[in-house]
Amino acid sequence: MCGIVGYVGTDHAKEKIIDGLKRLEYRGYDSAGIALPIDGKIQVRKAVGEIKNLEAKIASPDFDAPMGIGHTRWATHGEPTELNAHPHLNMEETIAIVHNGIIENYQEIREWLATEYGIVFKSETDSEVIAHLIGLFYDGDLLEAVNKAVAEMRGAYAVVAIAVDEPDKIVAVRKDAPLVAGIGKGFNFIASDIPAVLKYVQGNIYLIENNETVVLTKDDIVIYDENGNKVDREIYVVDWKADSADKADYDHFMLKEIHEQPAVISETLMSRLNPDDSIRLDDISLTKEDIDNFNKIYIVACGTAYHAGLVGKMVIEKMAHIPVEIDVASEFRYRDTFIDDKTLFIAISQSGETLDTLAALRDAKERGARILSVVNAVGSSIARESHDVFYTLAGPEVAVASTKAYTTQLICMYLIGLYMGSTRGTIDKDYYNYMLGELKALPEKVSRVLENEEFLKNLAARYYFKDNVFFIGRGLDSGVSYEGSLKLKEISYIHSFAIAAGELKHGTIALMDSESLVVALATQDRLYEKMVSNIVEVQARGARIIGMAKEGRTEIEKTSDEVIYIPQCADEVAPVLAVVPLQIFAYYVALERGCNIDKPKNLAKSVTVE
Ligand code: AGP
């Protein structure tokens, strides 16, 4: 997912654009660039690799201007090279653009421009066609030229453009890729995500909706809908602290975000409770009739969000007595699913921009399902296209490896289950109150788990060289084992594998030998005995065992080489506590292996391609 920053003000655009791009580094990128109108020409500088390589090219004080645009590129079409890096220019170098997304019909546009207008392309990218289209239609009015250009384009795009003849104006347009406008005093920003502008605008932003165009000058931001009518948009005040998108005094965003979990779990939970402990969903229009009408729920997501759905499925079925299907979004659309107006479709997504999940949501919506999304990124595409949004209040999650988003997604799953269960009368008041008590106790219990960090760091030091790690569990522990396995593999590059413990004997146990490391989750009271016998099975094949159980369940020490204890809690909420040691373990294993923890190779924070 590319990063976009545009600034228009009275001074030094360069430093603000570079600072903003650095705050978007978490999105993953392989090159960066900046364009400034200087002395009647658009000056462009680009560099492959980290932003510091670009900074080395723009150090001269002469390279600066009161406005400009910048970009960090995550290559989709064309190798990561300077030529392919953004910003892109039209042939006369009077227009510069940056783009996030994909222009699906770029080849035909390329051919048309080359054949009809002799346009010579410099890059292999789809994005470059946008600069040439705007240049072709430009007749002194950038807004008009941008509108004409996007009318020729198909695909997903956030485009930000400047024209050398209008050096006080930025024009941007959004379709299926995020854009926010930062509201300053005597300056304004446009960016692909909130952290880029947060520290400059005291949290005051405009969320740009799909098919809207924005014109920014230093004193004004005007938003137009797809029919060219001005939109009167409310200011959205972001209540994150500016430093929440900084690493603070942690070595990595991932460790900071692991430690933020007690606070954001509490925030996500308590923001949803009324003084009488009823669940507040007044911004969600699910009525009792709606809930009684549902006869099926689909939970659809990717990666860690999907793993939160694995827990959500079991919890919601238990509490609301509705069948819950769960699917990875990339598979959902290719199954013959039974979706109708009695279906509740729950999309879970931290970024709210995962194209697989967005595509599945659109498919379900088209077939009549009610769409509820659980999303972290305010105003993201998935949030906007849902009938109702249940925001996780995790704040910006910068590390590619998702941690606090997962645990706050779990909190939303419990709240949805409790709300639906109490509305449908499938849980009684005692159970509701018991569960709420268990949820309220989680922040303090997660803090207690975090106090175990040193032990987990030492555990990682003993096992970081392992090449094959298995995560096993039963029931809710099975869902958590998938998440623990993903955390380890995506930041340490160790081959790790999760499997329902009861499934081991059906083949996988053939892999077990004295080199194997098995992380065995046994937090579910009602499945504890069965888990211990699974542990014995793998131990008999020589594997090393890291067992996990609730405090007091010391029998597990007889069959495990190491034991991680989590605080006593109800089985239902154990996943929130069980995942935290696995996050920390993965972090320190990756650290021992010298991996790039916040930006693992080949990965992006949000996957906006199918
Ligand atoms: C999780 O650590 C990964 N970064 C990845 O699996 C991620 O969860 C997945 O791409 C879904 O992203 P989303 O939650 O933003 O939709």
Side-chain angles (χ1 to χ4, degrees):
M1 203 162 163
C2 305
I4 289 175
V5 178
Y7 170 85
V8 53
T10 51
D11 62 359
H12 308 309
K14 173 172 71 176
E15 67 179 276
K16 298 168 184 80
I17 291 170
I18 293 298
D19 180 45
L21 291 178
K22 286 180 175 176
R23 293 169 185 280
L24 297 178
E25 282 191 292
Y26 64 87
R27 301 156 74 93
Y29 69 99
D30 43 52
S31 53
I34 185 169
L36 303 175
I38 300 173
D39 302 337
K41 275 185 67 63
I42 293 188
Q43 301 278 348
V44 175
R45 300 288 185 278
K46 307 179 186 183
V48 173
E50 306 215 16
I51 291 172
K52 63 175 187 283
N53 300 342
L54 175 63
E55 286 183 288
K57 294 187 169 187
I58 59 174
S60 158
D62 297 339
F63 185 82
D64 209 345
M67 67 93 89
I69 55 178
H71 187 268
T72 47
R73 178 173 182 251
W74 174 257
T76 51
H77 292 74
E79 294 299 304
T81 64
E82 275 195 31
L83 275 182
N84 288 337
H86 302 210
H88 288 291
L89 294 169
N90 64 329
M91 279 180 73
E92 298 74 16
E93 300 193 351
T94 53
I95 301 288
I97 66 100
V98 292
H99 165 231
N100 178 26
I102 287 184
I103 308 304
E104 290 167 0
N105 61 331
Y106 83 98
Q107 289 288 20
E108 56 194 85
I109 296 174
R110 236 177 126 102
E111 281 145 36
W112 171 61
L113 290 173
T115 316
E116 295 297 314
Y117 299 94
I119 302 277
V120 177
F121 287 82
K122 290 184 176 165
S123 78
E124 308 156 292
T125 67
D126 55 332
S127 307
E128 188 184 347
V129 302
I130 306 170
H132 294 301
L133 279 174
I134 296 173
L136 178 69
F137 295 125
Y138 187 75
D139 185 13
D141 182 337
L142 185 56
L143 173 60
E144 187 187 310
V146 167
N147 286 333
K148 286 181 178 173
V150 298
E152 302 294 330
M153 294 155 38
R154 282 199 320 273
Y157 47 82
V159 176
V160 176
I162 59 175
V164 73
D165 292 341
E166 297 176 78
D168 59 348
K169 187 186 290 180
I170 293 177
V171 174
V173 59
R174 169 191 175 156
K175 181 174 177 299
D176 297 341
L179 263 186
V180 296
I183 308 163
K185 291 188 175 58
F187 62 88
N188 286 306
F189 280 90
I190 189 81
S192 40
D193 203 352
I194 295 170
V197 303
L198 199 56
K199 78 177 229 187
Y200 296 101
V201 297
Q202 286 72 44
N204 297 319
I205 62 161
Y206 288 130
L207 299 173
I208 308 305
E209 309 247 359
N210 244 7
N211 302 316
E212 287 183 341
T213 309
V214 198
V215 179
L216 302 98
T217 59
K218 69 180 177 62
D219 298 314
D220 208 3
I221 298 175
V222 183
I223 303 171
Y224 298 91
D225 66 18
E226 54 194 319
N227 304 314
N229 306 313
K230 283 189 182 177
V231 171
D232 186 11
R233 178 63 34 81
E234 251 184 67
I235 293 177
Y236 183 92
V237 181
V238 179
D239 57 5
W240 303 337
K241 295 182 294 302
D243 64 4
S244 66
D246 287 330
K247 265 191 287 200
D249 50 3
Y250 289 93
D251 291 338
H252 298 95
F253 278 110
M254 184 179 177
L255 190 58
K256 171 182 175 242
E257 289 154 7
I258 288 171
H259 281 272
E260 286 176 335
Q261 290 181 112
V264 296
I265 286 169
S266 175
E267 176 82 12
T268 302
L269 174 65
M270 300 316 287
S271 70
R272 286 287 168 189
L273 295 183
N274 293 315
D276 65 355
D277 266 354
S278 60
I279 295 171
R280 186 185 62 74
L281 295 186
D282 51 11
D283 54 339
I284 289 178
S285 52
L286 280 179
T287 64
K288 175 165 176 41
E289 290 68 35
D290 293 330
I291 289 173
D292 289 341
N293 170 54
F294 295 137
N295 61 14
K296 183 187 327 91
I297 295 175
Y298 273 92
I299 298 178
V300 175
C302 300
T304 286
Y306 167 74
H307 298 151
L310 290 173
V311 172
K313 166 186 165 61
M314 294 186 191
V315 160
I316 294 172
E317 282 182 337
K318 176 183 177 66
M319 295 178 182
H321 295 189
I322 300 182
V324 179
E325 293 235 23
I326 178 150
D327 229 337
V328 288
S330 52
E331 288 294 300
F332 171 79
R333 276 187 297 155
Y334 308 108
R335 297 202 299 121
D336 292 324
T337 46
F338 302 96
I339 301 272
D340 59 23
D341 60 1
K342 294 184 183 310
T343 307
L344 174 63
F345 179 97
I346 300 177
I348 306 175
S349 176
Q350 187 287 128
S351 65
E353 297 300 342
T354 299
L355 198 51
D356 284 329
T357 308
L358 182 59
L361 177 158
R362 287 173 177 162
D363 180 67
K365 192 173 181 181
E366 215 171 275
R367 293 193 277 158
R370 182 65 176 269
I371 310 296
L372 170 63
S373 58
V374 175
V375 172
N376 195 42
V378 168
S380 53
S381 303
I382 288 173
R384 292 179 173 293
E385 298 197 24
S386 301
H387 297 115
D388 297 291
V389 188
F390 206 126
Y391 279 118
T392 50
L393 302 185
E397 185 178 72
V398 176
V400 165
S402 188
T403 51
K404 61 178 182 172
Y406 174 79
T407 44
T408 51
Q409 286 161 359
L410 294 187
I411 297 300
C412 294
M413 294 294 107
Y414 295 123
L415 289 170
I416 292 169
L418 286 171
Y419 184 77
M420 294 183 77
S422 50
T423 306
R424 290 163 55 90
T426 47
I427 58 174
D428 63 23
K429 199 67 187 143
D430 289 346
Y431 180 79
Y432 177 92
N433 291 331
Y434 168 63
M435 270 295 112
L436 226 41
E438 285 290 312
L439 292 174
K440 287 179 178 177
L442 281 175
E444 185 276 327
K445 289 179 179 178
V446 171
S447 299
R448 279 172 47 201
V449 173
L450 291 171
E451 287 162 13
N452 229 0
E453 182 170 348
E454 200 54 34
F455 166 75
L456 295 160
K457 181 178 178 181
N458 296 332
L459 199 59
R462 292 201 290 279
Y463 293 105
Y464 73 92
F465 50 85
K466 284 291 180 186
D467 293 328
N468 231 342
V469 183
F470 298 82
F471 289 76
I472 65 173
R474 286 174 177 262
L476 288 171
D477 280 337
S478 163
V480 178
S481 60
Y482 281 91
E483 177 53 16
S485 172
L486 176 61
K487 285 291 89 57
L488 184 65
K489 76 177 86 170
E490 72 173 329
I491 63 171
S492 72
Y493 315 140
I494 287 176
H495 178 265
S496 115
F497 178 82
I499 184 169
E503 192 56 14
L504 268 172
K505 54 189 173 295
H506 299 287
T508 303
I509 201 162
L511 296 176
M512 292 295 165
D513 60 26
S514 59
E515 289 307 305
S516 305
L517 174 64
V518 177
V519 181
L521 308 186
T523 73
Q524 300 295 295
D525 293 335
R526 64 194 183 93
L527 297 164
Y528 182 76
E529 301 307 330
K530 281 198 169 11
M531 264 313 291
V532 171
S533 57
N534 286 137
I535 294 172
V536 172
E537 269 169 36
V538 293
Q539 199 175 47
R541 273 83 182 168
R544 299 283 292 176
I545 312 290
I546 298 176
M548 184 188 292
K550 290 175 187 167
E551 285 162 353
R553 286 282 191 174
T554 53
E555 314 91 296
I556 196 167
E557 292 174 14
K558 297 187 193 97
T559 55
S560 302
D561 300 284
E562 319 275 356
V563 177
I564 300 169
Y565 286 108
I566 63 169
Q568 274 295 337
C569 65
D571 277 3
E572 292 92 332
V573 302
V576 177
L577 299 174
V579 75
V580 176
L582 305 183
Q583 295 167 344
I584 299 171
F585 179 72
Y587 173 81
Y588 281 106
V589 167
L591 203 60
E592 287 281 353
R593 294 169 70 103
C595 298
N596 183 339
I597 290 178
D598 284 336
K599 292 181 277 178
K601 66 178 176 168
N602 307 338
L603 298 182
K605 181 58 182 171
S606 176
V607 183
T608 54
V609 292
E610 281 193 275

